[in-house]
Amino acid sequence: MTARVYLAGPEVFLPDARALGRAKKALCEAVGLIGIFPLDGDVDLAGLSPRDRGRAIYRADVDMMKRCDLIIANLTPFRGPSADVGTAFELGYMTALGRPAFAYSNCAKPFAARLSALDPAGPHMRADGQLADARDIAIEDFDMADNLMLHGALGEGELFLHQALPGRELTDLTAFGACLRAARRLFP
Amino acid sequence: MTARVYLAGPEVFLPDARALGRAKKALCEAVGLIGIFPLDGDVDLAGLSPRDRGRAIYRADVDMMKRCDLIIANLTPFRGPSADVGTAFELGYMTALGRPAFAYSNCAKPFAARLSALDPAGPHMRADGQLADARDIAIEDFDMADNLMLHGALGEGELFLHQALPGRELTDLTAFGACLRAARRLFP
């Protein structure tokens, strides 16, 4: 049976989301996997209130995840120093279901370095010996690509980093390709 | 049997995280629940590399989640317009395990309004009819408190919003108390 991959990531918010989804699905097909893009759900939103539309899309996405064998999550920083929260939710969801997870980020800079760069004055050492930002909020310094719950869910060889060119952070598929090759080894 | 509540939230990054954890646990106890704070894990980090420390904390947090009957997630915006990604992962994890979830945010402003406020020029309508920010990235406009995967995981009566005073966004426990009362009805 051909394995189905849930393609999580914030590219669903881009104007060319559907074209990107098609490109990702074509790359899946090329290695013998079936890609399922979050916008693939067959959701009838007619006549629904905004919130009910959101809920219907949520249910469709959850249904698609349940029917997938693995997830490839795009953890590229989105609207801040961390990954998209919807993608983080989905990585947690699939991890709890015991589905294999692969992930990539198109930002190769470690999380601690990204957080440290947010303040012009740089980070400082808090009274408790913890590296912290200007608001005294801890800077996680675990040699990881993002919050430890995200990176920690991924074993060695399941997370791929690539520094995309400026403007290509959400669309570059180099590291996605590396995820696909790793996934292919698990689902030959 | 007394129900155990996993207390997810970015307050673990504050200098007074442990005191906040104790305060949350005391409020749990007052309504007959047992609060489990992410820093409660008994993790021996001695001699580990930074990344292995992060992994050990991840495993301890996952073990605690598995032994909890429900989650209360603090979805207050953290380092950007959305919730902490670690908390988002944990909400997804517990949702997939079928555990009841409650959540709160100490920011009462709707997600679309928060995203719209990020650009001085305000949002615009994209060619495809989608509200979007200055980078042409969609502004989710579903009358929700955050990304639809987070809000969508929570039924009516499971998400509580409260506008905390400036500087109290991550520590105000008003809406946490509302979550506890709702949880108490489910686990009397």
Side-chain angles (χ1 to χ4, degrees), chain A residues 13 51 55 126 138 143 154, chain B residues 13 51 55 138 143 154:
Chain A
F13 300 115
R51 186 169 296 180
R55 290 197 182 287
R126 218 161 60 180
D143 183 27
L154 303 157
Chain B
F13 300 114
R51 186 169 296 180
R55 290 198 182 285
D143 183 25
L154 303 156

Side-chain angles (χ1 to χ4, degrees), chain A residues 71-132:
Chain A
I71 182 172
I72 297 180
N74 176 359
L75 297 181
T76 304
F78 183 69
R79 287 185 169 137
S82 280
D84 164 50
V85 287
T87 304
F89 178 96
E90 292 171 339
L91 180 60
Y93 195 99
M94 291 295 268
T95 300
L97 292 187
R99 306 284 208 282
F102 298 90
Y104 68 98
S105 173
N106 288 333
C107 172
K109 198 173 183 178
F111 189 39
R114 294 204 301 279
L115 294 179
S116 298
L118 289 179
D119 297 314
H124 69 280
M125 202 64 83
R126 218 161 60 180
D128 60 359
Q130 168 67 51
L131 197 69

Side-chain angles (χ1 to χ4, degrees), chain A residues 30-93:
Chain A
V31 297
L33 299 167
I34 298 173
I36 305 293
F37 198 60
L39 301 181
D40 286 350
D42 187 18
V43 199
D44 183 5
L45 302 177
L48 297 181
S49 72
R51 186 169 296 180
D52 284 344
R53 286 204 293 274
R55 290 197 182 287
I57 297 168
Y58 168 83
R59 284 192 301 271
D61 286 349
V62 164
D63 285 347
M64 284 188 279
M65 280 196 282
K66 285 180 183 167
R67 289 183 285 110
C68 281
D69 304 289
L70 69 153
I71 182 172
I72 297 180
N74 176 359
L75 297 181
T76 304
F78 183 69
R79 287 185 169 137
S82 280
D84 164 50
V85 287
T87 304
F89 178 96
E90 292 171 339
L91 180 60
Y93 195 99

Side-chain angles (χ1 to χ4, degrees), chain B:
Chain B
M1 199 199 71
T2 311
R4 296 160 59 93
V5 192
Y6 188 77
L7 302 170
E11 60 269 21
V12 294
F13 300 114
L14 297 179
D16 53 352
R18 289 179 191 279
L20 264 165
R22 284 193 296 273
K24 282 187 146 183
K25 289 163 73 163
L27 290 170
C28 289
E29 200 180 340
V31 298
L33 299 167
I34 297 172
I36 306 293
F37 197 60
L39 301 182
D40 286 350
D42 188 17
V43 200
D44 184 5
L45 302 178
L48 298 182
S49 71
R51 186 169 296 180
D52 284 344
R53 286 205 294 274
R55 290 198 182 285
I57 298 169
Y58 167 82
R59 284 193 299 270
D61 285 350
V62 164
D63 285 346
M64 285 189 277
M65 280 196 282
K66 286 180 182 167
R67 290 182 285 111
C68 281
D69 304 289
L70 69 152
I71 183 172
I72 297 180
N74 177 359
L75 297 181
T76 304
F78 184 69
R79 285 183 173 140
S82 279
D84 164 51
V85 285
T87 305
F89 178 97
E90 292 171 338
L91 180 61
Y93 195 99
M94 291 294 269
T95 300
L97 293 187
R99 307 283 209 281
F102 298 89
Y104 68 98
S105 173
N106 288 333
C107 174
K109 198 173 182 178
F111 188 40
R114 294 203 303 278
L115 294 178
S116 299
L118 290 178
D119 298 313
H124 68 282
M125 202 64 82
R126 217 161 60 180
D128 61 359
Q130 168 68 50
L131 196 68
D133 67 17
R135 293 163 63 207
D136 232 19
I137 296 177
I139 290 177
E140 277 191 74
D141 194 11
F142 295 118
D143 183 25
M144 287 186 156
D146 205 321
N147 180 294
L148 68 84
M149 295 309 292
L150 306 190
H151 194 134
L154 303 156
E156 300 298 333
E158 292 172 358
L159 173 63
F160 297 89
L161 306 179
H162 168 74
Q163 188 58 57
L165 294 174
R168 298 270 303 150
E169 291 88 349
L170 290 176
T171 55
D172 188 307
L173 295 178
T174 311
F176 174 70
C179 286
L180 276 184
R181 287 189 292 279
R184 185 75 177 84
R185 286 192 288 275
L186 201 61
F187 294 92

